[in-house]
Amino acid sequence: MELFRSHVLVCGGTGCTSSGCQKIIAKLDEQLEKHQLEKEVKVIKTGCFGLCEAGPIIVTYPEGAFYSRVEEKDVERITEEHLLKGRIVTDLLYKDAVIDGEIKSVDEVEFYKRQQRVALRNCGVINPESLEEYIAFDGYKALGKVLTEMKPEDVIDVIKRSGLRGRGGGGFPSGLKWDFTAKAEGDQKYVACNADEGDPGAFMDRSVLEGDPHVIVEAMAIAGYAVGADMGYVYIRAEYPIAVDRLDIAIKEARKAGLLGKNIFGTGFNFDMEIRLGAGAFVCGEETALINSIEGKRGMPRPRPPFPAVKGIWNKPTLLNNVETYANVPQIILNGADWFAGIGTEKSKGTKVFALGGKINNTGLVEIPMGTTLKEVIYDIGGGIPNGKAFKAVQTGGPSGGCIPADHLDTPIDYDNLIALGSMMGSGGMIVMDEDNCMVDIARFFLDFTVEESCGKCTPCREGTKRMLEILDRITEGKGELSDLDKLESLSKTIKTASLCGLGQTAPNPVLSTLHYFRHEYEAHVNDKKCPAGVCQELLQYVVIPELCKKCGICAKKCPVSCIDGVKGKEVYIIRQEDCVKCGACLEACPFKAIKKG
Amino acid sequence: MINLKINGFEVQVEEGTTILQAASKVGVKIPTFCHDPRLVPHGTCRICVVEVEGGRNLPTACTTPVYEGMNIQTESKEVVQTRREILDLVLANHPLDCLTCEKSGRCTLQDLCYQYDIKETTYVGERKDFEVDESNPFYYNDQNKCILCGKCVYVCSQLQGTEAIGFAERGFPTHIATPFNQGLEQSTCVSCGNCVSVCPVGALMPKSKEKFRYWETKTVRTTCSYCGVGCQMDLVVKDDKVVGVDPAMGASNEGLLCVKGKFAYNFVNHPSRLTTPLVRKDGKLVETSWDEAYEVIANKINETKETVGADAIAAFSSARALTEDNYLMQKLMRAVVGTNNIDHCARL
Ligand SMILES: Cc1cc2nc3c(=O)[nH]c(=O)nc-3n(C[C@H](O)[C@H](O)[C@H](O)COP(=O)(O)O)c2cc1C
Ligand code: SF4
Ligand code: SF4
Ligand code: SF4
Ligand code: SF4
Ligand code: SF4
Ligand code: SF4
Ligand code: FES
């Protein structure tokens, strides 16, 4: 084996790929060759570091130096100064990696310090296209242990005792699901992995597949052994080309190494797997729609029961778990159920990955122990709200989750607490909103998504969500009535209780939670025809404050529709509201802040 | 056996029975749009929701299997409220054309709106706006009236086995269409009309040449005379005139028909249909009795056989006659008359 004195990890996730990591790697190779460092420094293209916004990212070991937003021109300096002369290029480091002149290694950076990486443990650490590197980090050890030392029922018992719950949204106890599938009658069984990841903004599953694809291969083989399946399907959206490629490579490598296929580890256990590409419909993440789609049918949910564990793919018992759920499995097998159950809260064990986004300083992927409070995630890890704005709400659970206001920021994150707040865990989207967000507009935004993504099968969801959206549209246009709020509530109830699948059953959540916590904002739109946050265009008014107007006429010059009247130096300017198109140009132009929006 | 309660009635049913089946056993009627016992349960329309004690949501009666000790209410306040809301939503996207709609009188939507007192929708907003597909010679597809119960799609794929139609688009714009919206004429549709027969509303309708209201008609159960399958069907009759055909649940057809049974009934009342035998007298066809007609035929056959030989005689029979009749026809020709000269219109 070759030994290197330094490893340079370059993030090759989707985020950093689009910000140009390919070029950085090429440049690094060129520079290393130029300085004849190829035998001393190894460049490794890894999976996602979770801080895509700061990409392209380079981390060097052994120092743990954390370079962010690296540009091609920076590579020369990093090579000459750091890799050749051993001097870290401080000004290229990540913003929080130098505190009071002291250099912090990547693990000490605030963003990573409080995280605990179980599902993401290999992401940004190993080369995802190398089976050897996965094995060097204990890969396939759990599969070996399971096949040679454990009976299927022992495996299920460990998963049950670990307290692992589904990370795909529902939070169903995984051990129970494995048990149901194992006990279901059938000459053929399947295991399947849900990598559809339809929540806008969520990318934890993609990151696992891009950064550590073998963990899914290994976990599915373990699951196959536990439930008695010899075939696995990974359903993954075609919009994830890098994840698809890396998983494909992993499957082929595993097959070549005898880790998939017949008689694995000489134990007589057979298991193989295939990838199925989805076309990117949100509803295809719903388990029965996903099964229809795998079978080549239109992705529409089926009634449950029968549950997939009894009648799944081609009506055979099928175990379906989410990517992140599977990613925990090998660690649970290796470290034991008690280790996993020791992390988290009473009913939610282990860690959870969240995709932090919206009005927050550090957007990206974070993995935290269950029970961490919302506040810790948003302020300590996420770095708080940018530009000194006030926090208003955090939306968890993706388009079917709810908005949680400031009073509840001390809530420890777990499945049950989020549901009690009218939201949910979902797949781990976490979008932060500040004072500039209008909650009616936010609810409308999420509902717009579900209306688009409803499969159209059942009446309450197909027709009902559309009518809710129309009502919200009217409210944001100032055409709402007070009775609309009651209508929204009663319609929500029908959609939640009578829809066929989880999409409809949760679609009203953003509306219900904002109506619950921010009813005053709705009332302002309806009664006063005002949008307190100044977001809803139709309700905005730009007005000149006469006392502040210096009659300079600059605003009138800037107005694209010439709707500001006045006489320069003589008369205060006035905006003709009926003609104003609400572009905001005057507000920006006025040097005396004499124009207000409201 | 499983014991449960429906609206307070004790019921005992076998395992695997659905709530809908159990309810019908005790005479409790639950409304349905999309249910058809011949199809894989699909739970599309949600009108059959019921309340189950201790349940979180309202499950659909047509898909939910019963369990021991289940306590079901089929017309509770919440159930009725939900059904009314669903009907309200359906009507918000449905033309209220009952005055001229040919489905009026046997339309499930009309019936349920009547039952649950929904006079009009409480919503204003976008409505469907589709062109009616009239390209098929026997029936049309008016998606403006479709409530997307899915029955037509599943009947065509699961029972008819043709898969000519399916769901197009998703969400609110979802509609029933042929592949690439090419229209029924261009599709693989064989015009069996089985989709038409199951449509609960006026979306899939026969191109009727008669004006009639269902309450003016009576039905006459009969056997289709076109082929040996012997499908059972109900003739829809107004003033002694056949104005339509509905499939019946016969042992050989289980509520299905083919294009002939479903649509080719106009001959029954056709003005040029022969209702008495005709013989040629002095170069003119005149009406006669069956006895005379048979006598003429028998005499001519005997005469021709003797003078020219049996092979000068041929017989031609109709596909409209029963398979058994056609069999007898050839038997008569071969065994009695002594010729193989037979033919049949189905060959043409
Ligand atoms: C509309 C809808 C979309 C869903 N999308 C996803 C998804 O993208 N990924 C996922 O893992 N689960 C998704 N789910 C949840 C799945 O139905 C299913 O519960 C999950 O994959 C089971 O795996 P788990 O038990 O490991 O969470 C979705 C559910 C609904 C109702
Ligand atoms: S709830 Fe919505 S997405 Fe789910 S089956 Fe019904 S229409 Fe489709
Ligand atoms: S908002 Fe735009 S259109 Fe309206 S007054 Fe100002 S500049 Fe003119
Ligand atoms: S389909 Fe039914 S409800 Fe609709 S117009 Fe026709 S009769 Fe009336
Ligand atoms: S007429 Fe028959 S073949 Fe044609 S769409 Fe209807 S069911 Fe299918
Ligand atoms: S056309 Fe008729 S049968 Fe087909 S989905 Fe629409 S309402 Fe149902
Ligand atoms: S409906 Fe068609 S299949 Fe049935 S008996 Fe008549 S001709 Fe035969
Ligand atoms: S009849 Fe049960 S869902 Fe339609």
Side-chain angles (χ1 to χ4, degrees):
Chain A
M1 194 174 148
E2 287 172 278
L3 289 176
F4 295 88
R5 71 166 160 84
S6 184
H7 287 94
V8 178
L9 274 46
V10 186
C11 175
T14 292
C16 287
T17 301
S18 55
S19 55
C21 73
Q22 264 342 89
K23 279 197 210 133
I24 305 285
I25 292 174
K27 189 78 184 176
L28 256 175
D29 288 341
E30 175 204 303
Q31 287 291 312
L32 292 179
E33 199 184 313
K34 182 173 152 197
H35 297 286
Q36 293 166 1
L37 290 173
E38 312 104 293
K39 293 255 180 294
E40 294 175 46
V41 178
K42 187 177 162 89
V43 177
I44 299 166
K45 186 163 93 173
T46 69
C48 182
F49 281 74
L51 250 179
C52 309
E53 160 246 11
I57 287 174
I58 292 181
V59 173
T60 65
Y61 282 102
E63 308 87 341
F66 183 23
Y67 294 107
S68 68
R69 299 224 168 97
V70 179
E71 292 176 33
E72 232 180 311
K73 64 174 167 45
D74 301 332
V75 175
E76 254 169 70
R77 281 179 65 207
I78 294 176
T79 318
E80 281 175 22
E81 290 293 311
H82 182 163
L83 300 176
L84 197 62
K85 301 181 189 154
R87 293 196 288 249
I88 294 177
V89 193
T90 324
D91 62 299
L92 294 178
L93 290 178
Y94 176 64
K95 60 177 173 17
D96 296 345
V98 193
I99 290 176
D100 301 331
E102 194 188 327
I103 295 177
K104 302 271 178 195
S105 80
V106 62
D107 319 313
E108 293 164 342
V109 166
E110 207 59 38
F111 182 78
Y112 290 110
K113 206 163 75 181
R114 291 163 201 267
Q115 296 196 38
Q116 180 175 5
R117 299 201 147 204
V118 179
L120 298 177
R121 63 189 267 277
N122 284 337
C123 292
V125 177
I126 64 166
N127 171 1
E129 297 182 12
S130 159
L131 172 62
E132 288 73 24
E133 289 196 22
Y134 180 66
I135 290 174
F137 282 75
D138 291 342
Y140 291 105
K141 209 165 143 186
L143 179 62
K145 176 173 170 183
V146 159
L147 292 187
T148 54
E149 296 169 22
M150 295 168 80
K151 293 203 290 280
E153 49 277 26
D154 300 338
V155 180
I156 293 175
D157 185 55
V158 169
I159 301 297
K160 269 190 186 163
R161 284 192 295 110
S162 76
L164 177 66
R165 292 169 68 174
R167 302 295 194 238
F172 192 80
S174 307
L176 262 185
K177 206 192 257 188
W178 289 34
D179 199 21
F180 288 149
T181 318
K183 290 195 175 125
E185 278 173 41
D187 47 353
Q188 167 76 54
K189 291 181 188 177
Y190 297 105
V191 293
C193 174
N194 191 341
D196 188 59
E197 197 158 60
D199 286 10
F203 58 107
M204 51 286 289
D205 295 348
R206 187 188 76 202
S207 287
V208 170
L209 290 167
E210 286 179 0
D212 196 15
H214 279 286
V215 77
I216 298 304
V217 177
E218 179 177 11
M220 286 179 72
I222 292 172
Y225 175 73
V227 304
D230 61 1
M231 185 65 205
Y233 291 99
V234 182
Y235 186 84
I236 174 168
R237 54 178 50 219
E239 287 121 311
Y240 282 180
I242 300 176
V244 173
D245 277 356
R246 295 198 182 144
L247 182 63
D248 190 46
I249 293 170
I251 291 174
K252 285 184 179 135
E253 292 280 298
R255 231 180 250 149
K256 225 188 291 167
L259 296 162
L260 282 179
K262 298 255 180 269
N263 196 17
I264 300 171
F265 291 133
T267 57
F269 173 63
N270 306 329
F271 188 79
D272 209 338
M273 54 196 280
E274 275 177 24
I275 297 176
R276 285 285 185 272
L277 295 186
F282 178 57
V283 73
C284 284
E286 194 282 334
E287 55 188 21
T288 58
L290 180 143
I291 288 168
N292 271 339
S293 183
I294 286 184
E295 292 178 4
K297 301 190 182 115
R298 181 180 158 98
M300 286 203 302
R302 306 173 179 174
R304 297 176 310 174
F307 288 91
V310 178
K311 270 188 177 185
I313 301 173
W314 291 297
N315 283 332
K316 304 292 183 194
T318 301
L319 172 75
L320 179 74
N321 275 128
N322 161 265
V323 172
E324 192 188 328
T325 314
Y326 279 127
N328 284 296
V329 167
Q331 288 302 300
I332 293 175
I333 299 289
L334 289 181
N335 300 332
D338 295 338
W339 162 77
F340 193 79
I343 311 170
T345 64
E346 192 198 334
K347 286 185 179 156
S348 303
K349 301 300 186 188
T351 59
K352 176 77 193 89
V353 184
F354 286 93
L356 269 183
K359 306 281 182 62
I360 189 156
N361 276 314
N362 305 328
T363 59
L365 221 50
V366 301
E367 181 168 354
I368 47 152
M370 298 272 193
T372 309
T373 65
L374 287 163
K375 197 182 232 154
E376 286 173 279
V377 176
I378 295 167
Y379 288 94
D380 299 339
I381 300 176
I385 319 295
N387 309 322
K389 297 273 181 180
F391 168 92
K392 191 184 244 180
V394 55
Q395 211 269 359
T396 70
S400 26
C403 296
I404 302 168
D407 319 350
H408 296 287
L409 275 183
D410 285 322
T411 309
I413 299 170
D414 73 8
Y415 289 99
D416 312 282
N417 284 344
L418 291 181
I419 287 178
L421 292 178
S423 186
M424 57 188 222
M425 185 81 82
S427 58
M430 196 179 276
I431 300 171
V432 179
M433 288 153 229
D434 70 7
E435 53 189 302
D436 289 343
N437 287 106
C438 163
M439 299 315 283
V440 185
D441 181 62
I442 290 287
R444 202 195 59 82
F445 171 82
F446 284 112
L447 203 65
D448 190 46
F449 177 84
T450 31
V451 167
E452 281 292 313
E453 296 293 334
S454 158
C455 83
K457 177 171 176 170
C458 72
T459 321
C461 169
R462 181 188 65 240
E463 309 288 335
T465 56
K466 169 82 176 175
R467 299 304 166 208
M468 284 181 74
L469 181 62
E470 288 175 337
I471 294 174
L472 287 173
D473 276 340
R474 285 199 293 271
I475 294 177
T476 56
E477 288 162 7
K479 297 174 197 150
E481 291 164 21
L482 211 50
S483 63
D484 284 339
L485 305 189
D486 299 334
K487 190 84 201 169
L488 281 176
E489 270 171 352
S490 71
L491 189 47
S492 293
K493 186 158 177 248
T494 302
I495 298 171
K496 277 174 81 90
T497 51
S499 287
L500 170 61
C501 86
L503 194 153
Q505 287 162 11
T506 56
N509 285 350
V511 179
L512 285 177
S513 67
T514 48
L515 261 176
H516 180 68
Y517 293 118
F518 300 95
R519 197 179 179 95
H520 52 279
E521 286 198 29
Y522 282 83
E523 285 168 355
H525 284 73
V526 170
N527 293 336
D528 315 335
K529 309 294 175 204
K530 286 256 187 296
C531 172
V535 172
C536 299
Q537 284 289 332
E538 310 273 338
L539 299 182
L540 280 187
Q541 269 199 349
Y542 289 86
V543 244
V544 179
I545 310 164
E547 304 82 66
L548 295 182
C549 178
K550 300 264 190 277
K551 306 166 187 152
C552 71
I554 292 177
C555 58
K557 278 207 200 100
K558 284 277 172 185
C559 177
V561 293
S562 306
C563 71
I564 311 184
D565 302 326
V567 183
K568 192 171 171 185
K570 293 198 178 128
E571 266 177 37
V572 164
Y573 282 75
I574 296 173
I575 300 172
R576 287 199 313 277
Q577 293 302 333
E578 62 278 20
D579 297 325
C580 171
V581 296
K582 291 157 188 169
C583 69
C586 51
L587 181 85
E588 273 174 38
C590 178
F592 310 106
K593 295 198 177 353
I595 294 176
K596 74 167 188 216
K597 175 173 100 166
Chain B
M1 292 303 263
I2 287 178
N3 299 289
L4 66 150
K5 257 194 199 162
I6 301 180
N7 298 350
F9 297 114
E10 307 266 354
V11 197
Q12 207 182 46
V13 291
E14 272 173 40
E15 201 179 329
T17 308
T18 62
I19 297 176
L20 187 67
Q21 289 165 331
S24 86
K25 213 180 149 188
V26 280
V28 171
K29 206 166 175 304
I30 297 172
T32 66
F33 279 121
C34 73
H35 176 71
D36 186 318
R38 300 168 299 172
L39 301 172
V40 178
H42 52 110
T44 297
C45 74
R46 321 304 288 172
I47 200 73
C48 69
V49 288
V50 294
E51 196 173 326
V52 175
E53 195 179 60
R56 191 166 52 102
N57 290 338
L58 301 179
T60 41
C62 67
T63 61
T64 310
V66 295
Y67 56 78
E68 183 64 37
M70 208 177 200
N71 189 0
I72 301 160
Q73 290 294 332
T74 70
E75 297 284 337
S76 69
K77 199 165 150 238
E78 201 188 341
V79 167
V80 169
Q81 173 54 31
T82 305
R83 288 197 194 134
R84 297 191 77 222
E85 188 77 82
I86 291 174
L87 290 169
D88 191 350
L89 287 170
V90 171
L91 279 201
N93 200 8
H94 186 92
L96 273 193
D97 277 352
C98 302
L99 289 185
T100 51
C101 180
E102 286 173 340
K103 195 74 177 187
S104 190
R106 53 144 59 170
C107 170
T108 315
L109 179 56
Q110 202 184 41
D111 293 348
L112 292 182
C113 284
Y114 176 70
Q115 184 179 339
Y116 290 100
D117 283 319
I118 303 291
K119 197 168 173 185
E120 57 189 5
T121 181
T122 58
Y123 297 98
V124 275
E126 194 183 333
R127 279 164 177 270
K128 308 182 195 224
D129 186 12
F130 292 103
E131 238 175 78
V132 181
D133 181 355
E134 305 214 49
S135 64
N136 184 287
F138 303 104
Y139 70 99
Y140 63 81
N141 173 10
D142 180 356
Q143 276 302 295
N144 301 306
K145 288 186 184 164
C146 171
I147 58 160
L148 288 167
C149 74
K151 265 198 229 176
C152 53
V153 173
Y154 300 127
V155 163
C156 188
S157 59
Q158 293 173 25
L159 303 180
Q160 169 62 22
T162 303
E163 298 197 303
I165 49 175
F167 298 91
E169 302 196 58
R170 68 172 181 229
F172 190 76
T174 307
H175 60 282
I176 307 297
T178 55
F180 308 106
N181 258 327
Q182 297 245 313
L184 287 162
E185 185 59 19
Q186 299 296 316
S187 74
T188 54
C189 169
V190 296
S191 305
C192 67
N194 287 315
C195 54
V196 177
S197 302
V198 294
C199 183
V201 292
L204 294 172
M205 291 293 282
K207 287 183 170 171
S208 176
K209 296 189 180 61
E210 303 295 329
K211 273 202 172 282
F212 67 92
R213 284 307 203 181
Y214 279 101
W215 52 87
E216 302 170 329
T217 64
K218 58 177 182 178
T219 53
V220 178
R221 174 69 47 92
T222 186
T223 304
C224 173
S225 62
Y226 272 114
C227 90
V229 173
C231 295
Q232 293 300 293
M233 57 197 214
D234 289 329
L235 301 178
V236 182
V237 180
K238 176 190 174 186
D239 301 338
D240 287 339
K241 194 166 183 193
V242 179
V243 292
V245 172
D246 288 324
M249 286 302 271
S252 64
N253 67 317
E254 295 196 339
L256 300 175
L257 291 175
C258 80
V259 59
K260 293 190 276 183
K262 174 76 185 170
F263 294 115
Y265 55 82
N266 282 332
F267 73 92
V268 177
N269 296 102
H270 201 279
S272 47
R273 177 180 174 186
L274 299 184
T275 46
T276 53
L278 303 175
V279 290
R280 205 177 295 276
K281 283 186 180 158
D282 305 327
K284 261 177 126 183
L285 286 170
V286 292
E287 289 193 354
T288 180
S289 69
W290 279 108
D291 284 347
E292 193 190 343
Y294 285 135
E295 207 179 305
V296 173
I297 295 168
N299 290 342
K300 289 235 168 164
I301 286 179
N302 282 333
E303 194 186 313
T304 313
K305 238 174 109 173
E306 268 161 37
T307 53
V308 203
D311 279 341
I313 302 167
F316 191 86
S317 63
S318 164
R320 193 140 312 157
L322 301 180
T323 308
E324 293 79 354
D325 296 341
N326 280 298
Y327 173 83
L328 289 174
M329 182 281 286
Q330 63 84 32
K331 194 84 186 165
L332 176 76
M333 293 307 287
R334 290 192 168 113
V336 180
V337 179
T339 177
N340 287 331
N341 292 342
I342 54 161
D343 210 344
H344 182 272
C345 73
R347 193 184 61 79
L348 299 176

